[in-house]
Amino acid sequence: MRLNIIQQRKLWWLISATLMVLSLGAMAFSWATLGSPVRLGLDFIGGTRLQLERACDAGANCSTPLTPGDLRSVLAEQDLASSSVQVLGSEGNGILIRTGNLNVDQRTELEQNLAAAFGPFDPAKTQIDTVGPVIGKRLLIAGILSLLISFLGIVIYLTVRFQLDYAVLAMLALFHDALITTGVFSLLGLSTGLEIDSLFLVALLTIVGFSVNDTVVIYDRIRETIQINPNRPIDLIVDEAVNQTLGRSINTTLTTLLPLVSIFFLGGTTLKDFALALIVGFILGAYSSIFVASSLLSWWRERSQPPADPNLAPESLATDAIDAPPSDF
């Protein structure tokens, strides 16, 4: 299989632009309705999270699944009807409640009311977490700073290893990946109530590292070919570099996605959202490295450098250095 990256670059750019506009639209709507581009979880806004599961072997009526409406009716007795409520488990016997900060007495009262309404809960599977709003704000700021510092470090590294234009175009591709991944979670937050936590920021950092590694491999191949044949048209160089590293990019992405898909479908509740973010980001990272970062470099070099020697035959250009193995990075 041979891809014609440059010939169809407007198509790749149209796909990316459409996804970015949709992501920005979802984030803007989320900001207008929720006050933030994505639905922030307990880690960032503070509050109390209770996760309970009915004890079916201790007298609880597990034959009737719980519903969010029934749970909210109990929460309303303590003026907590606006809390986030999720029913967990395939049989609907688990509860996940996210609400404002509750003291010990309020949490105890809530647990007693829920137990009275829906049966006893298994104390071994009960989880209660409380995060203060100040700590949550610090976690959010620290996470955003980590992303910005990672972007700066990548720019410095790529500028030293390659050139400044390589670094800037690679950063555009990374921004593309992070923005669309955030847009997907913004849309899920609006449609399903999905909240992001600190693991989402960890996922973004992982996505950035994965994507830049794939981009560096392609850019390294482009640079090697330019050094061998500086007069060769940049379009041919980029197409050949992408096709010569295509197998490596696909194999790396697929072998990484397989365990993530397993974690998403078979793993615990805590890791599902983290695995989903990585799945979306890694697919976007492979796409942006192959189709966006490479085509942007070709477009930029066409406009910033003099054209190739017209007396150099395209047939001879297409055969030079094509058999050289791609660089291992």
Side-chain angles (χ1 to χ4, degrees):
M1 179 178 65
R2 181 175 178 81
L3 298 177
N4 294 318
I5 303 297
I6 306 307
Q7 184 178 353
Q8 298 176 318
R9 65 186 176 192
K10 291 184 178 179
L11 173 62
W12 319 132
W13 294 352
L14 177 62
I15 294 173
S16 293
T18 301
L19 293 175
M20 292 176 72
V21 169
L22 291 175
S23 298
L24 289 172
M27 293 165 67
F29 186 76
S30 176
W31 194 296
T33 56
L34 303 176
S36 60
V38 288
R39 187 183 292 271
L40 298 176
L42 182 74
D43 289 1
F44 300 131
I45 60 176
T48 300
R49 175 172 53 203
L50 292 89
Q51 184 169 332
L52 310 171
E53 185 172 334
R54 287 195 290 195
C56 299
D57 56 353
N61 180 18
C62 296
S63 60
T64 303
L66 298 169
T67 64
D70 293 336
L71 294 171
R72 289 190 186 281
S73 64
V74 176
L75 291 169
E77 298 176 4
Q78 292 182 238
D79 296 326
L80 300 175
S82 60
S83 304
S84 173
V85 177
Q86 288 180 266
V87 177
L88 307 176
S90 57
E91 298 179 355
N93 290 315
I95 305 172
L96 180 62
I97 299 173
R98 294 182 178 89
T99 185
N101 282 310
L102 302 178
N103 57 38
V104 176
D105 293 337
Q106 290 173 321
R107 292 200 305 266
T108 302
E109 181 183 357
L110 178 57
E111 289 183 75
Q112 291 174 346
N113 291 339
L114 291 171
F118 307 112
F121 293 96
D122 187 349
K125 297 181 179 179
T126 297
Q127 299 180 24
I128 302 176
D129 302 313
T130 299
V131 177
V134 175
I135 296 177
K137 184 177 180 180
R138 288 178 180 176
L139 283 173
L140 180 60
I141 294 174
I144 295 174
L145 284 176
S146 298
L147 278 172
L148 294 177
I149 292 172
S150 68
F151 280 129
L152 178 61
I154 289 171
V155 169
I156 295 173
Y157 168 77
L158 291 179
T159 302
V160 173
R161 181 176 174 88
F162 298 101
Q163 295 179 24
L164 180 59
D165 56 351
Y166 283 82
V168 172
L169 298 175
M171 287 304 303
L172 290 177
L174 296 181
F175 178 75
H176 162 279
D177 302 339
L179 175 64
I180 298 177
T181 301
T182 305
V184 170
F185 272 73
S186 177
L187 184 61
L188 290 174
L190 292 169
S191 58
T192 67
L194 178 64
E195 299 176 343
I196 68 164
D197 54 17
S198 55
L199 282 179
F200 178 74
L201 295 178
V202 175
L204 285 182
L205 288 169
T206 308
I207 291 165
V208 167
F210 177 88
S211 180
V212 74
N213 181 66
D214 212 10
T215 302
V216 164
V217 170
I218 296 174
Y219 277 0
D220 201 41
R221 190 71 187 104
I222 293 172
R223 183 184 61 173
E224 289 176 357
T225 308
I226 291 176
Q227 292 174 347
I228 295 172
N229 243 316
N231 292 323
R232 178 178 236 175
I234 189 64
D235 289 0
L236 286 177
I237 292 176
V238 171
D239 269 344
E240 289 181 7
V242 171
N243 282 281
Q244 290 167 12
T245 57
L246 184 62
R248 178 258 177 211
S249 298
I250 293 176
N251 291 335
T252 301
T253 303
L254 288 179
T255 53
T256 307
L257 289 178
L258 287 176
L260 291 174
V261 172
S262 300
I263 293 173
F264 178 75
F265 287 106
L266 304 176
T269 304
T270 306
L271 293 177
K272 283 185 180 293
D273 297 340
F274 177 68
L276 178 61
L278 291 181
I279 290 170
V280 173
F282 284 1
I283 293 174
L284 288 169
Y287 171 81
S288 67
S289 297
I290 296 172
F291 298 102
V292 178
S294 59
S295 58
L296 283 175
L297 180 62
S298 171
W299 171 82
W300 172 254
R301 287 299 177 94
E302 284 177 356
R303 284 152 181 76
S304 62
Q305 292 185 350
D309 186 355
N311 296 321
L312 194 58
E315 292 79 5
S316 64
L317 295 173
T319 58
D320 291 339
I322 192 171
D323 295 327
S327 173
D328 292 327
F329 177 73

